[in-house]
Amino acid sequence: MTRHFASGRRIALLVVAVVVLLFVAFLMFAHRPAIAEIAPPARGAFPETDIARGAALARMGNCTSCHTAKGGRPFAGGVPIATPFGTLHGTNITPDPVTGIGRWSEPAFARSMRQGVARDGSHLYPAFPYDHFSSLTDADLHGLYAFLMTRRPVHLEPPANRMIPPLGFRPLLAGWKLLFFRPARFTTDPGHDALWNRGKYLGDGIAHCGGCHSPRGVLGNEKTDQPYAGGWVDGWYAPPLDATSPAIRAWTADRLETYLRTGLSTTHAAAAGPMGAVAHNLSQVRDPDVRAIATYYADLMAKAPAARREPPLPDRADAAVRAHPEGAALYAGACAMCHEPGAPMVVAGRPVLPLGTQFHEHTPRDMIQTILQGVAPPVGAQGPYMPAYASTLSDTQVAQLVAYLQTRHGTVRWDDLEKEVARARKEGKP
Amino acid sequence: MTVPTRRDMLAGGGLVVFFALSGVAQAQGLSGGGEGGAGPKKVRPDLPGSLATEPRLNAWIRIAPDGEVIVFTGKAELGQGIRTALMQLAMDELDLADNSLTLISADTARTPDEGITAGSHSMQDSGTAILNAAANVRHRLLAEAARRWTVAPATLSTNAGTVRAPDGRSLGYGDLAAGLDLQVDAEPDMPRRPVAARRFIGRTVPRVDIHAKLTGGTAYVQDIKLPHMLHARVVRGPSDGTRLATVDHAAIARLPGIVKVVRDGNFTAILAEREWPVVQALHLLNRAGWQPTRPPLPQGDLATAIQRLPAQDRPILDRHDAPGTVPVREIAARYTRPYLMHGAIGPSCAVALFENGAMTVWTHSQGVYPLRKALAQLLALPVEQVRCIHSEGSGCYGHNGADDVAADAALAARAVPGRPVRMQWMREQEHGWEPLGPAMVTELSGALDANGRIVRWNHAVWSNPHNMRPSAAGDFLAGQEVLPPFPATPPKPIPQPEGGGDRNAVPLYAFPNAVVRHHFIPGMPLRTSALRGLGAHMNVFSIECFIDELAASARRDPVAFRLAHMDDPRAQAVIRTAADKFGWTRYRRQPWRSAGVAFARYKNLGAYCAIVLDVEIEPETGEAVVHRAVAAVDSGEVVNPGGIRNQIEGGIVQSLSWTRHEAVGFDAHRRTAFDWSEYPIARFVDVPRAVEVHLLDRRGAPFLGTGEAAQGPTAAAFANAVALATGKRIRAMPLSAGTIKAAIGDG
Amino acid sequence: MIELSVNGRTERVDADASTPLLYVLRDDLGLVAAKFGCGLGQCGACTVLVDDQPVFSCITSIAALPGRAITTVEGLGTPDKPGIVQRAFEMEQAAQCGYCIPGMIARAEALLRHSTTPSEDEMRTAMSPSLCRCGTHMRILRAVRRAASMRGGGVVDPAERVA
Ligand code: FES
Ligand code: FES
């Protein structure tokens, strides 16, 4: 008994030792050194051209979406980012020496962008898309650094993250990186022209379009073998940007460029959900870069069905009324005033409903979110506006409305609409 | 029936003997009223305010046998609180008992013709008239009592609707009025009651119209509901300059719920028992598409396009008092303003009833008399057969769709005699068809001498007409749609001293040499007319920005620089007050945050107003936060301080909206702003954090119009603050976040 | 026939199910406080409460509303007995033309039912769907602050004090 116990204890000790050793080894593996703090660089240290280059990149990178809170100072962080693993908060990337990145040297900044490691050596969550940013050139990283280090410093500590235990333990991220993180390299594709290549560099890299438009695995990893096959973000579906694009009208470079720069395509629809901010940021970027991005993605979608043939827009009004009279009544009072062909908005040139890709996606999610959340341009700016119906319509009513719309204009069959509405409400909460 | 029952009772019960209409009809004048000084003819120029055009006392004040006093005004309540202010005057000057006063406003069958309610004239015109008429009537009441009691009038006094003798005898006004003939002209310079006796003037009295508005009591023409009333919509293209491609009248008439389709040439109105089917029918019709009705509009840079249009050049000021001054530095600047919209929250509406050959129109027009005249022509009715009754609408801020919709309603109602018709414009119709505030361009140049004083000043302004209010049938949209169409009145500039595009173009500052020119552009690519402040918004913006530019050039403090060039002591006082209350000298500029100041006396005739704004710019986005707005105002004698504050606060917020957010876009054929998404205005998230208004009360001084006084100074104060906060001078409105960001760059 | 609960009363309305609530309130029920401003959900002039939430009645078919509690400004108080928010608006004289005000009152009521201690920013954000063209915003905000105090709360960090 005693011996057994003794030997049992020895085995247990051995196991513990192995675990500890493995843990230490892991910690050593996961360890990244801190990079020494510097005195915040003077403004004059950066030439205007570098700052301007960084400014454009920051807009294409849509940095504000995660690093500028609603009503908060630009780049001061604090934006809650809901992930399946808990809630993160965008960090303060102003040059404040205490709460921001004011004491980060350029190598520290470059390491964070390329390896997802903060100046103090801690690993960064992959919600920060270093898997995309790793392809940025030194010159572009320098531009971004110049831009960020010349912003107004804001002293503001973002709220603490709330991750599901033990995911708050950052060294674990080294394991995630081991499994999924492959630093991106950009190489010019000689089969395409310079504009296309520029678009690929920007789109795959700083703009990290795949962050939303590519599917993710269970551990939040982007499935690199299915780039741009469609993904999920904040309870919205980001449709594919490849040959499986469900858009009912072709995405030509011209149309895409207009859409990206204005948030509105008269052959498609208005940018809704998280895409609204992307378009708003791109509206301030000089033309060739947006043109380049549009060229690249138009090419990726060049084999999509709509690129081959633009089908007539389905409008089965009578059948839809018969099948879903409740939805039809809601539509006539709530939606028709803006969306029917004779509505002033349509007369003025805004696209009709069935042009919207939402009608042709395999999931009703985007239509539901648009109905629940509406569409709003930034304060004081012109642009498509739609009121939110979240507090007006019940789940059943939204489902009735969606069923009506789908029967009338849709090209895909959706089921379990009421459940979808409930899920959309839950996941769409900011 | 929603018109206040007391009025009905008075009208129906015959308590009031209507004054003869003939005299009023003769006094018909050109439209324009206060706007251009072209209202009804002056028959007694020696009398103050509107007594000059309507001198008879009983046109203004009547006293019923029960002591009820009815005061009449030709001015309309537009949300500016005029009813309350006029009642305060009458209560005090007549010395009335509480609840014994009824005010009747703007009704062609009952009230004097006071032209248009515009140009911040109401207190000057109507307030002055009522005050002096009241002094006359009170004097006559005293005289009548003195006659009855055979005592000297000087021994008598009034108290709450009675005349009293020292021995305790008293007679009510109602008794006395029976023996009094008020069908007489007022006498000038009738002494007023002493200041000490006032109960209302100078005090913040709650507005009489607000209570109903807060509780859902019927308050607007939109809310009128008459028995057997039909709901109507007018059918038009999407904007000024278009018409619907084809209107299939027979098909509309067959739509469910449609009672009648009224058609005359290109004018079409749909009438139904219920509102919702008409709206749906309208949208069905819109599917037909539209076509342009005029040549393409100029495209490209708006300011350049405007300056290229044919213009009449009009010298406004040519002052050369000190030809010998030596300028050492000269600068020049060009400022621009886009087309702006009135953008009433409630689209225009009117109710019309054609009965027994007479047309009655309930309207929120600013000028019931000019409207009546033009409607009579449109309907081919004698003017006496048309009655226009003012009923409040949503705030209009000038000539919006109110008159047009009244014509639409009248044409529709004529087709269904005996049935009232409520004609309601849709949002896109208001956005697409209301006359716009004109786009404008100014070019200023100025020279400083060695002492940093302005020795030369040039100001040139280009503008479309600011006054296209209807004076004839062709001035209505419908008037040009019916067959045969009526000719539109050719545009005319409003002469100085009020001015239209050149309103406030003459600087109040004491510049020894100054030249001002007005380039009046009669041809209008877009439909324009009067918008609050007319040219003053742009001219004050230009002058007050340019003063700051000169001050910067001379390295002087903007407040001190203004005071140094200003001789008018009342102007100096408001500038000083605004600066002091703001704490101008203590204020420390911070990075991206600064204070801007501006001043104007509206039209150089109305209220004095100085504004200081504390503005912070977010350099990443160009977004502005107005932390604080401080205004100082001299409106002459203050009748209702709360009312003036309300007007100025509102003016500041509205002007900031115009100046920061607004521009009506257009393409080759039409306006592109069709709703609030394409024409954003201020929302709660971007109005100032705090607004203060300080009044300089000038007891006994004439009333000075206040309603438009804040528009120009606010715009300039904002631009000046932005210039100081960012180091960038932006001369083109709107100073939107995008414009400011573009000026700052990413540095 | 559709049955609606308006201001605590059951109303039977003979109108097409698609009819926006605004027209039913104004034309059928004689409740004219809610106003037509845009019919597009952009201005808030038509705002009423549905189950304590602010709703644009101009774009809400009555089909959506059976079984839900609709409250208009008429239901918040009468001319003789105005409700708290109405009194606060009156005390602040928060109106110029007043056309937007019933919508503002309904929206403020919804905000205060949710919280009587909103922050200044929360208050402004909550009121933002409603437009006012007269520029009465400062007074409306003062009235909401006052109403919050009258309901035993108060706006946290008010930009201006309620006198
Ligand atoms: S009228 Fe409903 S939001 Fe404008
Ligand atoms: S008070 Fe006139 S629109 Fe708000």
Side-chain angles (χ1 to χ4, degrees), chain C residues 12 22 28 33-34 41 47 54 56 58 66 68 74-75 96 108 118 130 133 135-136 138 144 158 160:
Chain C
R12 292 168 61 79
L22 178 66
D28 296 307
T47 306
F56 300 120
C58 69
R68 300 172 73 183
E74 288 92 342
Q96 287 182 63
S130 289
R133 187 51 165 165
T136 313
M138 307 313 296
V144 181
E160 293 182 302

Side-chain angles (χ1 to χ4, degrees), chain C:
Chain C
M1 276 292 181
I2 289 191
E3 252 183 32
L4 299 175
S5 154
V6 182
N7 299 332
R9 296 204 349 219
T10 303
E11 305 278 5
R12 292 168 61 79
V13 179
D14 184 14
D16 188 85
S18 72
T19 313
L21 173 64
L22 178 66
Y23 298 117
V24 169
L25 292 174
R26 294 180 55 86
D27 299 342
D28 296 307
L29 304 180
L31 300 170
V32 295
K35 298 284 187 279
F36 174 75
C38 65
L40 308 166
Q42 295 179 346
C43 76
C46 63
T47 306
V48 301
L49 289 108
V50 174
D51 296 339
D52 296 344
Q53 294 283 348
V55 156
F56 300 120
S57 66
C58 69
I59 49 164
T60 305
S61 308
I62 51 172
L65 298 169
R68 300 172 73 183
I70 300 161
T71 310
T72 72
V73 161
E74 288 92 342
L76 298 177
T78 61
D80 297 335
K81 256 186 121 229
I84 285 182
V85 180
Q86 288 160 322
R87 271 190 284 146
F89 271 69
E90 181 132 30
M91 286 159 97
E92 294 295 342
Q93 290 283 290
Q96 287 182 63
C97 79
Y99 196 88
C100 69
I101 298 297
M104 297 288 178
I105 291 176
R107 195 164 293 282
E109 173 75 23
L111 166 70
L112 296 175
R113 282 187 185 180
H114 181 70
S115 161
T116 55
T117 53
S119 71
E120 176 80 17
D121 282 345
E122 282 165 351
M123 169 179 66
R124 289 183 184 231
T125 304
M127 296 303 292
S128 265
S130 289
L131 292 174
C132 172
R133 187 51 165 165
C134 295
T136 313
H137 302 69
M138 307 313 296
R139 284 172 183 242
I140 294 168
L141 292 173
R142 268 174 239 155
V144 181
R145 289 187 204 107
R146 182 181 286 277
S149 314
M150 287 162 73
R151 285 186 162 184
V155 170
V156 186
D157 305 327
E160 293 182 302
R161 306 242 154 243
V162 177

Side-chain angles (χ1 to χ4, degrees), chain A residues 189-284:
Chain A
D189 181 342
H192 290 280
D193 63 9
L195 195 64
W196 185 97
N197 272 292
R198 173 101 185 127
K200 177 170 168 56
Y201 167 73
L202 293 169
D204 291 351
I206 186 69
H208 63 284
C209 305
C212 297
H213 289 275
S214 295
R216 287 180 187 270
V218 280
L219 290 178
N221 52 302
E222 238 177 88
K223 293 184 178 166
T224 45
D225 55 335
Q226 301 170 43
Y228 302 118
W232 291 86
V233 53
D234 296 345
W236 293 72
Y237 179 64
L241 305 180
D242 59 11
T244 64
S245 162
I248 199 162
R249 289 289 174 268
W251 276 117
T252 63
D254 282 346
R255 289 170 175 178
L256 196 49
E257 184 187 358
T258 306
Y259 175 72
L260 292 175
R261 294 178 54 75
T262 63
L264 181 68
S265 163
T266 50
T267 48
H268 295 81
M275 193 63 197
V278 174
H280 181 65
N281 276 317
L282 289 178
S283 72
Q284 299 166 55

